[in-house]
């Protein structure tokens, strides 16, 4: 899997950018729903997407 990300840096950057923007939008929109359980769920999905972006970024630097 690490060789795929090393061979396709443009795809990696575009995917990370799209996921990052989507994650920030989800976290902010969930934050605006203070007091509702759905807002918490939306924020958790946003945080999971941020972790996915971090995993994609780190995939290129694994041994």
């Amino acid at each position: 899997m690490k060789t795929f990300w090393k061979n396709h840096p443009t795809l990696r950057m575009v995917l990370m950018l799209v996921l990052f923007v989507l994650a920030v939008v989800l976290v902010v929109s969930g934050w605006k729903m203070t007091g509702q359980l759905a807002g918490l769920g939306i924020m958790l999905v946003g945080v999971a997407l941020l972790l996915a972006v971090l995993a994609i970024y780190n995939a290129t630097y694994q041994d």
Side-chain angles (χ1 to χ4, degrees), residues 18-35:
V18 169
L19 288 178
F20 180 77
V21 170
L22 180 62
V24 169
V25 167
L26 285 174
V27 169
V28 170
S29 65
W31 194 354
K32 290 181 181 179
M33 300 173 65
T34 302

Side-chain angles (χ1 to χ4, degrees), residues 38-62:
L40 176 64
I42 291 171
M43 285 192 296
L44 287 176
V45 170
V47 170
L49 285 178
L50 286 173
L51 289 173
V53 170
L54 185 62
I56 291 170
Y57 176 79
N58 285 334
T60 57
Y61 300 108
Q62 291 179 347

